[in-house]
Amino acid sequence: MGPLVRGPAVNEEDESTDNTPLLPGVRQAEAAPVCCSARYNLAVLAFFGFFVLYALRVNLSVALVDMVDSNTSLVDNRTSKECTEHSAPIKVLHNHTGKKYQWDAETQGWILGSFFYGYIITQIPGGYIASKVGGKLLLGFGILGTAVFTLFTPIAADLGVLALVVLRALEGLGEGVTFPAMHAMWSSWAPPLERSKLLTISYAGAQLGTVISLPLSGIICYYLNWTYVFYFFGIVGIVWFILWMWIVSDTPETHKTISHYEKEYILSSLKNQLSSQKSVPWIPILKSLPLWAIVVAHFSYNWTFYTLLTLLPTYMKEILRFNVQENGFLSALPYFGCWLCMILSGQAADNLRVKWNFSTLSVRRIFTLIGMAGPAVFLVAAGFIGCDYSLAVAFLTISTTLGGFGSSGFSINHLDIAPSYAGILLGITNTFATIPGMVGPIIAKSLTPENTIREWQIVFCIAAAINMFGALLFMLFAKGEVQSWALSDHHGHRN
């Protein structure tokens, strides 16, 4: 990698000249090599951590199909007759050794939704704790706890619905600290001009975890039984925890094998970006308009994301009469596209800043607009194509794929405006962004009493409108440089 380009001085009143998120007059060191570097090792381990995290999160949605007595579900069948049947009979021999439960649709909804009630609680505390003690232990034990609780899922199911709901809420508590903890770690590890690359690599694991765990869970259910889904992913989570604790360090200064050259490169690039304040400036944080721009964008993005994640199988099965659970490739395809787009967009975003002198703010705006307007357009298109299920899969895949651009837009903007408090800021935005996962499916169900294509068009249009609103607010009020309240002397001239 060649030497980094030094941008011109930045004026707080005019960010159009901001070629980097660095402060005025900061001398930039030549980039340390990527190969075998400690910072990219961290990104790869984080990638597998979030892979495990999302595998632990979504495996229940597949296993639940086998956990529930099919005769119970027949009462709740709302399949539309507007489209012709596309599903083919399943030819794979099914293993029936797993225990069945008499859970109706409402009970299943509570079981699947209980995760978010724990998840929303630990977002802000997770960011705060990570800012004080570091993110390594918090992230590690968050995933370990989720993995251990996952191993006990079959026992909880036997004990009853309440026990399973409590267990899933506890898993949510564990996962709630992970994203803020990772953001807090990157505030010490990610050089400003490599943020997009490093963060998209680490967080892209979430998408690949969805891609692989959905069909893999189905295969395990068919050839073994549903209990092994939880045993398998739980053990994988424990193995990852051991590697994480052995290899990773909270900061470059405490890393045992990092080269002196890489450590100096990271520390010098962050020298005038981090605050030495002991206390968190809560009032300035909550008054920060750029932060609320991220909040609105994050909330809006997740509304569409969760609409697709939770309702796509329902729409395909009950409206288009094509059950995506029968085809692991098609059910995973949208998330594979998003994973690929996240990786490529991270590379593109940093290249635009380094090689083409795009300002940080411009890059964040462009990628947020593509990552939110694109999914909105194709989501609406998917609702207006009638019964063409192949085109529906194509449009929904494109919609989810384009959402990957958002990972290099608003999703990492916390580190641009306040690297010292990035974990806390992500905790705040992700708290609001969890709400769509809790209320979105409920609202969608209330809007589709007759389960018609027309009703689902309304669901998709609402999600698209919310997405566009979030993109507009971010475009108007986002910033690309460290805010004065995020520095120890509020001016950025630390000695």
Side-chain angles (χ1 to χ4, degrees):
M1 182 180 293
L4 300 181
V5 179
R6 180 183 175 186
V10 183
N11 186 320
E12 281 193 11
E13 298 300 320
D14 181 13
E15 288 186 286
S16 63
T17 60
D18 172 25
N19 286 3
T20 78
L22 299 177
L23 295 168
V26 178
R27 182 180 178 275
Q28 298 178 41
E30 184 176 335
V34 169
C35 181
C36 304
S37 64
R39 66 192 188 281
Y40 277 88
N41 287 343
L42 172 60
V44 171
L45 267 175
F47 172 91
F48 285 109
F50 285 100
F51 175 99
V52 172
L53 198 71
Y54 264 63
L56 294 170
R57 180 187 297 196
V58 305
N59 57 15
L60 180 63
S61 63
V62 178
L64 195 63
V65 176
D66 264 13
M67 295 170 71
V68 176
D69 189 339
S70 58
N71 293 325
T72 307
S73 301
L74 290 177
V75 180
D76 304 297
N77 193 326
R78 302 192 304 146
T79 302
S80 170
K81 303 299 181 184
E82 291 183 272
C83 300
T84 58
E85 180 69 55
H86 293 294
S87 297
I90 299 174
K91 297 181 180 179
V92 181
L93 293 176
H94 192 289
N95 190 315
H96 291 285
T97 58
K99 189 173 181 180
K100 301 288 185 180
Y101 303 96
Q102 304 293 321
W103 296 335
D104 59 20
E106 184 179 356
T107 301
Q108 294 174 50
W110 276 104
I111 292 170
L112 290 171
S114 57
F115 170 89
F116 292 104
Y117 291 95
Y119 188 69
I120 198 171
I121 292 173
T122 49
Q123 295 291 326
I124 297 175
Y128 179 77
I129 295 170
S131 71
K132 296 297 182 182
V133 302
K136 174 185 174 179
L137 290 177
L138 197 61
L139 177 60
F141 280 103
I143 295 180
L144 176 66
T146 306
V148 171
F149 285 129
T150 297
L151 291 172
F152 286 98
T153 302
I155 296 175
D158 262 350
L159 292 175
V161 173
L162 180 60
L164 185 56
V165 166
V166 170
L167 184 78
R168 287 292 290 178
L170 289 173
E171 288 184 29
L173 287 174
E175 289 204 14
V177 304
T178 53
F179 281 95
M182 193 72 250
H183 251 45
M185 288 189 72
W186 281 128
S187 69
S188 299
W189 273 99
L193 292 179
E194 293 185 20
R195 279 177 184 155
S196 302
K197 296 176 185 176
L198 290 167
L199 270 76
T200 51
I201 289 172
S202 58
Y203 293 141
Q207 303 301 327
L208 196 63
T210 304
V211 168
I212 293 179
S213 65
L214 285 175
L216 183 57
S217 296
I219 291 170
I220 293 172
C221 285
Y222 277 118
Y223 290 103
L224 298 171
N225 67 55
W226 61 263
T227 60
Y228 289 94
V229 171
F230 304 106
Y231 298 148
F232 175 79
F233 288 111
I235 292 171
V236 170
I238 293 172
V239 171
W240 173 86
F241 171 78
I242 294 170
L243 292 174
W244 177 260
M245 297 301 293
W246 178 35
I247 297 173
V248 168
S249 296
D250 271 312
T251 63
E253 296 98 318
T254 57
H255 198 282
K256 295 178 181 178
T257 60
I258 189 173
S259 69
H260 177 75
Y261 183 60
E262 183 185 6
K263 180 165 68 174
E264 288 304 309
Y265 161 61
I266 295 172
L267 296 179
S268 64
S269 69
L270 295 171
K271 182 178 180 181
N272 282 52
Q273 291 222 326
L274 301 177
S275 171
S276 59
Q277 295 181 90
K278 298 296 184 183
S279 59
V280 178
W282 288 107
I283 300 301
I285 285 176
L286 296 177
K287 287 182 177 180
S288 174
L289 195 56
L291 169 62
W292 288 105
I294 304 174
V295 168
V296 175
H298 201 168
F299 175 93
S300 303
Y301 176 89
N302 270 21
W303 189 286
T304 300
F305 178 79
Y306 283 126
T307 295
L308 290 174
L309 183 66
T310 59
L311 300 178
L312 178 59
T314 301
Y315 179 75
M316 298 295 286
K317 181 179 180 180
E318 297 179 354
I319 298 297
L320 301 180
R321 303 183 72 185
F322 176 83
N323 191 349
V324 293
Q325 290 178 337
E326 295 173 11
N327 190 318
F329 174 75
L330 286 181
S331 63
L333 187 61
Y335 306 104
F336 177 78
C338 188
W339 168 75
L340 189 62
C341 187
M342 286 180 69
I343 298 292
L344 296 178
S345 69
Q347 302 292 318
D350 282 343
N351 281 336
L352 285 175
R353 293 192 295 162
V354 175
K355 296 181 179 179
W356 294 87
N357 279 350
F358 275 63
S359 70
T360 300
L361 180 57
S362 296
V363 170
R364 300 297 178 236
R365 282 172 170 168
I366 292 169
F367 281 74
T368 297
L369 183 62
I370 298 173
M372 297 183 73
V377 170
F378 282 95
L379 187 60
V380 171
F384 283 87
I385 59 168
C387 295
D388 189 338
Y389 76 89
S390 58
L391 199 56
V393 171
F395 283 169
L396 292 168
T397 297
I398 295 172
S399 178
T400 307
T401 297
L402 290 176
F405 279 94
S407 62
S408 296
F410 73 87
S411 187
I412 61 174
N413 192 224
H414 317 73
L415 281 160
D416 298 323
I417 65 172
S420 292
Y421 308 106
I424 294 173
L425 265 56
L426 181 63
I428 293 171
T429 67
N430 213 19
T431 297
F432 286 94
T434 302
I435 296 172
M438 301 167 68
V439 304
I442 297 172
I443 293 175
K445 187 175 181 179
S446 68
L447 291 172
T448 56
E450 304 298 326
N451 216 30
T452 64
I453 292 178
R454 177 74 176 174
E455 291 172 345
W456 279 92
Q457 288 172 352
I458 296 173
V459 172
F460 289 155
C461 286
I462 289 174
I466 291 173
N467 236 30
M468 295 301 296
F469 175 75
L472 177 63
L473 263 289
F474 187 84
M475 296 291 284
L476 291 175
F477 300 111
K479 297 293 183 183
E481 65 172 6
V482 181
Q483 300 298 289
S484 59
W485 50 263
L487 296 162
S488 57
D489 63 359
H490 288 240
H491 295 289
H493 301 300
R494 292 177 56 209
N495 294 322

